[in-house]
Every structure is written in structure tokens, then in C-alpha cells.
Amino acid sequence: MLVDTQTSLLEIWPSEIARAREDAVRSGRTVMEELEAQWGQCGLTPRNFLAALGKTLSYPVLGIEQMQALAPAFDLLPLADATRHRCLALRSEDGDLLLVTADPFALGIIAWVEEEVGEPGQWAIAHRDDIDALLRTYEATTRALDGVAPLAEREGAAPSAGMQTLSLQSINDDESPTVRLVNSTLYDALKSAASDVHFETDPEGLVIKYRIDGVLSVAARARGSDLADQVLSRIKVMSELDIAERRIPQDGRFRLSFESRAVDFRVSVMPSIHGEDAVLRVLDKRSLADQVRGLRLDLLGLDANAIRTIRTLSAMPYGMLLVTGPTGSGKTTTLYAAVTEINTGEDKIITIEDPVEYQLPGVLQIPVNEKKGLTFARGLRSILRHDPDKILVGEVRDTETAQIAVQAALTGHLVLTTVHANSVFDVIGRVSTMGVDPFSFAAATNGIVAQRLVRMVCEHCAQRKKPPRDLLVASGLDPAAVRGFRFRQGVGCAHCRGSGYRGRRAVAELLVLDEEIRELISRRESVRAIRHVAVRNGTQMLREAAVDLVRQGLTTLQEINRVTALV
């Protein structure tokens, strides 16, 4: 009798499972192999049984062609472990994680794989022969690649010969568990577009975190203080730091070859009560260059009015445009977008930055080198003798730089720069404490932009969900006045690594200095008085711009409460 339907399996499923478990204990085979044999006696081939089993368990069933179309995630589940357990971690082009097993009844192995992988994924079933064949192909490919050097890089030149290559091959080939852990962590961080990697020691061992879209999330945990010490020592060796020194902070850097390009890591090691912590800043210049290529203000997610205003301010022939916000709020990206738009080749554009993060074609870019005496102030003085039309100053951080920037704006140059402050109005007080004359500052400045980066709800797992009343009140919203809001929240999926958010966009408040605002600043009026006039003249506050995103269902109240203040 041929049995190949879901209904047929379900009718006698409990008794079949029990019988297969008893037979598996006696025969030493797996439950899956016993079930195949039992249903084979009813005329069901192993492939047909697998298809029926997938319907019964609501698991996708994959053939070898379907698995070959996906990318192996050996950074999550190494080739050796995949071969030993007949399980695979695969990724689609969209980043979806698929966990494939030959035996869905091996619950111990499935639990181990989920803990090892450390991120949510969908389980699927494939025949063990297909998994074995695919793994043999991967193994043969890995062996064939032994000794093959990466392609040319460095704006087309190759990474240096002595540079360590970070790849699935190098991770799988290394016999040291500590080196494999560090390298696989860095590989996964680069694949996840993390900006920072944190190795934190605690009483139980090591906690590894990634900063993605500006937020830290736990990527993995490793138990054992000895392992934590070994990982920190490995990072010190890579950074050429003193592995014997554990009492004072140390800073270093190292470079790895990843996907045929050089990636720099800036390392900070700090002593803690449980040992040491290390933070690795990822400086992937190729990735940054790809982001800035074709960069425009309308790609940052700002609203149309903000884009129009920034474009007007950055197109002025002289004066100063200040962008403010905390570290990591996208200030430099906004200025680069503005420079990219005004870079027509008709003007001499010079930048001085610390460091030069990515190159702009047709722009003279100067890196700060304080050890050699090239500071922002000294470099800015030299730039003014180089016949510039427009100048980008990476950051105004001291009195001398602030005064020179203001004088440059007053003498016919357009100056674009950043300064650390919480709002456009706080910039006025910040510059005043640097000793800049308020009248000169008001005369030189065209406008001030304060911005933040807000995480967007993941479109793959977004659901309509109204926040509780307490959250609305705490967020400064009247529960009776949110009828027009399209509240959404991400529940977490493989696309967003379970966070519910994917991607970020900028929100901004802009203060355009008209004659009335300039007069108030020159008279040293209070920030409250300047704010009152600005709001009356149509300035939108940062919080209001963020609430607009919530109204459209693009982000959540929890997110805007994290990055913006109520007032």
C-alpha cells in the first residue's frame, strides 16, 4: 500500500514514533532511519516519506539544488560541526537564516545547534544523503582554496602579504579554539555590519556584544574565566599590546583581510573588576566608501523640509553651517552628503578631518595628525592660504579652531563643521564658552542642524500594535489625541536579528539664523527667548520630528524616547 499523505501520517503518528524509538534503541540507528524503514514497508520511498513528514511537522523540505542556492553560514555553525551532526546553517540573499537537519527527532542536537548559532532561524528538513553530498562539496572547495591569496585591493591594490585573512577557510582550518572564537566573532560582526564589537568579562566568563544601528545586543556567551583571559590575550597579540599588563588601559589597532579588502580594527582594552574588557571599533573603509558613493541628502531619511533647508544653507556662497549631535548621530554623513551635492567641480573644496573616514572625489582632504603638530586649528590656518571656496572642518573642539572657523566664514568662505551639543540652542552656549564673540558668531552663522539617528521598525516582522496608555503618557502624548497614529512594532525575525528594528534614518531640528535671531544672539539673550522666537517662526523641534515618524508607523515610542528628550 502506498502511503504519502499528511493525513495518513497523522492517523498513526503517536504509535509509529513510539515504535521507532524502541527499535532505535535496539538497533543503534536513529529514529528517522527507523521511521523510513517502517514506512518503506508500506511502499513509501524515503523521499516521499520526507515530503509527507515535512507537511506533518510544518517544516519546509529542501532538495540539494535548493540548498546549493543558499550561502553556507559556517561562521555560525562550522563545517566540522555541520558534518558531525548532519546540520547546516544557510542564509538566503535577503539574510534569512535557515537551519537544516537530516533528523528532526534528534532534539538534543537541535537544541545544541540553536544555542551554538545564537540567532533565530527557521528549521527545515533535507535528506541525509543530500546534506552529506553538499558538505562533501564544501569540504572539497575549501581544500581547493588552500594557499590561494585574496584578490587585489587597496583602491585596487592587494592587502599586504603578512596580513591575516579572515574567511570561513581560515576559521575552519585553525586548530586553536580561542583563535577560532575570535576570528568567527569578527567575521560575523563584519557580515552583520556591526560598528563595534565588545568582549566583556563577567563572573561566568565572556560576553560578546555587537553594536548594530547604534544599539548593543548580546551576540554570544562563553563560560569560563580562563577562556575570557585567553580571548583578551589573543586580541592583545593581534593589536601588538602588552599581554602581561592587566592593570592599565591599552590602545592599539590591527588589520585583517576580509573578502579581498583590508579592514582596520581600533582596539581599546580596559581593566575591570572581573578581568579585562576589549572594545573593537570596525573601520571598514571600503564599506564606508560604498555608502558614500552617490550619497545625497534625500537618502538620509530626513523630511522634505529639512532636506530643502540644508540644501539652501549648504549652497550659500559664504557663512557657516553647524551640525550638532552626540557621537554616532550621523553628523559627518550629513556633511558629506551636503558636500557631495555641492561638489560641481567649480569650487575648491578642502576638508580637515580626524580621521578621513572615506574619500570624496575632487576634494582635497587633510587628516589631523596631532603627534606631528597638525591640529584642526593649524590645519585650518593653512587651508585658508590654499585659496579654498568651501571648507569642511571635522569638529570644532577648542577656542582656536572655533575662532578661525568664524573668521573664515566672515571673510567669504563657506564653512561646514560639527560641534558636540544636545540641541541647536545649546550650540549657542557651547560656542560662547569657547570665547567666540556672540556678534561675530551670529554674523558668520547661516544655520544650525541638530540630528539623531532613529531605528526603523523591521518591515519583515512589523505588526500593528497600539502602545499602552502609560507609555503614551510617559512619552508626552495625549491618549485621546493619537487617533491618526499608525502604531507599529517589530516582533523580531532573522532579518533584524530578533530586535524588531532594521536600518536607521535621521531626524533633525533646524535653526535658520534670520535678522531677529541674530539680534537676540548678539544681545546675549537667554536660550529660552531665542527658542520662543524660533518656534514662533516655524522651527520644528527634534522631538516633534521623531513623533512624526511614530505617527507614520516607521518607528516606535520606545525608540524615540531612547534618542530624544521630551523637551
Side-chain angles (χ1 to χ4, degrees):
M1 177 182 67
L2 182 62
V3 183
D4 60 355
T5 65
Q6 177 183 2
T7 303
S8 299
L9 282 177
L10 287 173
E11 286 177 349
I12 55 175
W13 193 244
S15 60
E16 290 288 323
I17 289 288
R19 177 184 166 190
R21 291 191 186 281
E22 294 174 357
D23 293 343
V25 172
R26 290 193 297 266
S27 66
R29 296 193 296 183
T30 65
V31 175
M32 188 70 174
E33 291 170 341
E34 289 294 337
L35 285 171
E36 280 187 12
Q38 291 176 18
W39 284 90
Q41 296 175 4
C42 300
L44 197 63
T45 67
R47 303 284 177 173
N48 289 337
F49 167 74
L50 196 66
L53 178 63
K55 292 181 180 179
T56 302
L57 300 179
S58 297
Y59 277 5
V61 178
L62 302 182
I64 190 168
E65 296 84 4
Q66 294 169 293
M67 290 190 289
Q68 286 172 337
L70 303 172
F74 290 135
D75 54 316
L76 300 180
L77 190 64
L79 177 60
D81 293 333
T83 303
R84 183 165 59 253
H85 298 300
R86 274 182 174 155
C87 287
L88 272 172
L90 303 172
R91 281 200 189 278
S92 67
E93 292 182 355
D94 296 331
D96 292 332
L97 179 64
L98 206 62
L99 302 175
V100 186
T101 179
D103 187 357
F105 303 102
L107 301 182
I109 292 176
I110 288 177
W112 179 86
V113 168
E114 290 178 344
E115 183 177 357
E116 181 75 8
V117 168
E119 68 174 85
Q122 181 182 10
W123 277 100
I125 311 173
H127 196 274
R128 57 183 177 275
D129 292 343
D130 289 343
I131 291 180
D132 290 343
L134 189 62
L135 288 172
R136 284 195 297 270
T137 301
Y138 289 143
E139 184 178 5
T141 302
T142 299
R143 289 176 178 173
L145 290 173
D146 283 345
V148 177
L151 297 175
E153 209 271 328
R154 189 196 69 120
E155 316 239 46
S160 60
M163 191 187 309
Q164 179 182 348
T165 299
L166 188 64
S167 65
L168 294 176
Q169 173 192 338
S170 64
I171 294 170
N172 288 324
D173 287 353
D174 204 297
E175 296 181 357
S176 169
T178 302
V179 175
R180 286 182 59 181
L181 174 60
V182 173
N183 288 351
S184 61
T185 298
L186 299 181
Y187 184 93
D188 184 48
L190 289 170
K191 284 291 190 180
S192 303
S195 62
D196 301 84
V197 184
H198 291 235
F199 293 86
E200 301 177 356
T201 56
D202 65 13
E204 296 182 355
L206 187 70
V207 181
I208 300 172
K209 299 179 180 179
Y210 298 158
R211 186 178 296 279
I212 301 174
D213 290 339
V215 177
L216 278 177
S217 60
V218 176
R221 295 179 182 272
R223 296 187 179 276
S225 57
D226 290 343
L227 177 60
D229 292 340
Q230 292 168 12
V231 168
L232 267 295
S233 295
R234 171 60 183 170
I235 293 172
K236 288 181 181 179
V237 169
M238 296 171 71
S239 312
E240 298 183 352
L241 301 177
D242 185 357
I243 63 173
E245 181 57 70
R246 298 169 178 264
R247 297 165 296 177
I248 61 174
Q250 297 189 71
D251 297 320
R253 62 191 306 140
F254 63 88
R255 174 177 291 185
L256 297 175
S257 173
F258 173 73
E259 294 184 348
S260 303
R261 68 178 185 268
V263 179
D264 291 313
F265 294 85
R266 192 171 64 206
V267 180
S268 172
V269 178
M270 192 77 64
S272 71
I273 59 174
H274 301 298
E276 290 179 295
D277 283 16
V279 175
L280 280 60
R281 167 62 57 89
V282 181
L283 303 172
D284 190 351
K285 292 187 178 181
R286 170 75 70 82
S287 177
L288 291 172
D290 291 342
Q291 293 174 24
V292 80
R293 189 177 295 116
L295 179 64
R296 296 176 58 85
L297 288 167
D298 51 7
L299 300 179
L300 303 181
L302 294 165
D303 63 74
N305 180 61
I307 294 172
R308 186 165 51 250
T309 304
I310 295 174
R311 279 178 174 158
T312 301
L313 294 172
S314 60
M316 290 193 172
Y318 54 82
M320 186 162 59
L321 171 61
L322 284 160
V323 181
T324 185
T327 301
S329 59
K331 302 185 296 295
T332 301
T333 302
T334 298
L335 288 182
Y336 270 33
V339 169
T340 300
E341 291 193 359
I342 64 177
N343 183 19
T344 61
E346 298 176 353
D347 296 314
K348 181 74 169 183
I349 303 177
I350 306 178
T351 77
I352 180 165
E353 307 168 61
D354 183 21
V356 175
E357 294 187 357
Y358 32 70
Q359 297 182 7
L360 297 171
V363 176
L364 173 58
Q365 295 176 269
I366 303 169
V368 166
N369 190 337
E370 295 189 357
K371 291 183 178 179
K372 300 295 184 179
L374 180 55
T375 61
F376 275 114
R378 185 173 180 180
L380 189 51
R381 278 199 215 93
S382 299
I383 286 172
L384 292 175
R385 296 192 292 269
H386 209 70
D387 190 29
D389 296 295
K390 306 180 191 303
I391 304 169
L392 188 154
V393 182
E395 182 184 351
V396 171
R397 59 174 67 155
D398 56 62
T399 298
E400 191 175 7
T401 306
Q403 292 175 342
I404 298 172
V406 168
Q407 291 302 313
L410 289 172
T411 54
H413 304 87
L414 178 67
V415 179
L416 310 174
T417 187
T418 72
V419 63
H420 283 289
N422 291 324
S423 70
V424 294
F425 307 103
D426 290 340
V427 170
I428 301 170
R430 173 91 168 113
V431 174
S432 177
T433 60
M434 294 181 182
V436 176
D437 176 63
F439 181 82
S440 298
F441 173 73
T445 305
N446 296 328
I448 307 172
V449 180
Q451 73 174 54
R452 300 290 189 275
L453 292 179
V454 179
R455 291 183 297 169
M456 296 291 97
V457 172
C458 176
E459 294 297 332
H460 295 275
C461 61
Q463 294 182 359
R464 295 292 294 270
K465 183 178 180 181
K466 185 177 180 180
R469 179 183 179 87
D470 291 347
L471 179 57
L472 291 170
V473 173
S475 303
L477 296 177
D478 182 358
V482 294
R483 187 181 299 270
F485 281 62
R486 183 172 175 258
F487 291 111
R488 294 197 308 162
Q489 185 172 340
V491 297
C493 65
H495 293 274
C496 59
R497 298 178 68 97
S499 67
Y501 299 95
R502 189 180 187 191
R504 292 187 292 179
R505 64 187 297 176
V507 292
E509 68 182 18
L510 295 95
L511 177 64
V512 178
L513 273 68
D514 56 18
E515 293 302 322
E516 187 175 8
I517 296 293
R518 285 194 171 98
E519 184 178 350
L520 292 174
I521 294 174
S522 300
R523 297 205 312 255
R524 300 178 186 268
E525 293 288 346
S526 67
V527 170
R528 177 180 295 180
I530 298 172
R531 184 198 299 268
H532 176 75
V533 173
V535 173
R536 186 193 67 196
N537 292 346
T539 295
Q540 185 185 45
M541 296 293 100
L542 196 64
R543 180 71 178 189
E544 294 172 355
V547 170
D548 280 344
L549 295 182
V550 177
R551 182 180 289 107
Q552 299 171 52
L554 298 177
T555 189
T556 65
L557 286 177
Q558 294 92 330
E559 177 63 9
I560 70 167
N561 289 341
R562 184 182 68 86
V563 298
T564 64
L566 285 175
V567 293

